[in-house]
mmCIF file of all heavy atoms in Angstrom:
data_model
loop_
_atom_site.group_PDB
_atom_site.id
_atom_site.type_symbol
_atom_site.label_atom_id
_atom_site.label_comp_id
_atom_site.label_asym_id
_atom_site.label_seq_id
_atom_site.Cartn_x
_atom_site.Cartn_y
_atom_site.Cartn_z
ATOM 1 N N SER A 132 38.752 148.482 202.472
ATOM 2 C CA SER A 132 37.988 148.282 203.669
ATOM 3 C C SER A 132 37.099 147.017 203.490
ATOM 4 O O SER A 132 36.368 146.646 204.441
ATOM 5 C CB SER A 132 37.025 149.562 203.980
ATOM 6 O OG SER A 132 36.232 149.727 202.920
ATOM 7 N N SER A 166 24.245 139.834 202.675
ATOM 8 C CA SER A 166 23.307 140.807 202.878
ATOM 9 C C SER A 166 23.740 142.243 202.308
ATOM 10 O O SER A 166 24.885 142.422 202.044
ATOM 11 C CB SER A 166 22.982 140.985 204.449
ATOM 12 O OG SER A 166 24.295 141.279 205.078
ATOM 13 N N ILE A 195 49.611 117.751 204.613
ATOM 14 C CA ILE A 195 48.609 117.898 203.561
ATOM 15 C C ILE A 195 48.816 119.142 202.662
ATOM 16 O O ILE A 195 48.586 119.128 201.381
ATOM 17 C CB ILE A 195 47.199 117.891 204.207
ATOM 18 C CG1 ILE A 195 46.898 116.617 204.819
ATOM 19 C CG2 ILE A 195 46.031 118.108 203.173
ATOM 20 C CD1 ILE A 195 45.619 116.549 205.637
ATOM 21 N N GLN A 289 5.545 147.119 164.182
ATOM 22 C CA GLN A 289 6.015 146.927 162.695
ATOM 23 C C GLN A 289 5.589 148.119 161.990
ATOM 24 O O GLN A 289 4.361 148.494 161.997
ATOM 25 C CB GLN A 289 5.576 145.723 162.106
ATOM 26 C CG GLN A 289 6.206 145.431 160.798
ATOM 27 C CD GLN A 289 5.953 143.961 160.459
ATOM 28 O OE1 GLN A 289 5.271 143.211 161.169
ATOM 29 N NE2 GLN A 289 6.591 143.563 159.255
ATOM 30 N N ILE A 303 27.119 146.017 160.551
ATOM 31 C CA ILE A 303 28.353 146.373 161.234
ATOM 32 C C ILE A 303 27.917 147.407 162.362
ATOM 33 O O ILE A 303 27.200 148.303 162.052
ATOM 34 C CB ILE A 303 29.197 147.079 160.168
ATOM 35 C CG1 ILE A 303 29.402 146.242 158.964
ATOM 36 C CG2 ILE A 303 30.522 147.424 160.785
ATOM 37 C CD1 ILE A 303 30.251 146.983 157.801
ATOM 38 N N ILE A 329 24.349 145.214 152.143
ATOM 39 C CA ILE A 329 23.582 144.379 151.063
ATOM 40 C C ILE A 329 24.565 144.157 149.877
ATOM 41 O O ILE A 329 24.583 144.796 148.963
ATOM 42 C CB ILE A 329 22.381 145.250 150.652
ATOM 43 C CG1 ILE A 329 21.608 145.728 151.859
ATOM 44 C CG2 ILE A 329 21.558 144.339 149.794
ATOM 45 C CD1 ILE A 329 20.491 146.689 151.492
ATOM 46 N N SER A 355 40.942 153.261 161.462
ATOM 47 C CA SER A 355 41.466 154.581 161.313
ATOM 48 C C SER A 355 40.570 155.641 161.057
ATOM 49 O O SER A 355 40.693 156.855 161.276
ATOM 50 C CB SER A 355 42.392 154.331 159.953
ATOM 51 O OG SER A 355 41.811 154.070 158.908
ATOM 52 N N ALA A 422 41.377 116.694 200.652
ATOM 53 C CA ALA A 422 42.179 117.211 201.754
ATOM 54 C C ALA A 422 41.454 117.545 203.125
ATOM 55 O O ALA A 422 42.153 117.150 204.221
ATOM 56 C CB ALA A 422 42.930 118.593 201.312
#
Side-chain angles (χ1 to χ4, degrees):
S132 60
S166 60
I195 294 172
Q289 191 164 0
I303 310 175
I329 310 169
S355 68

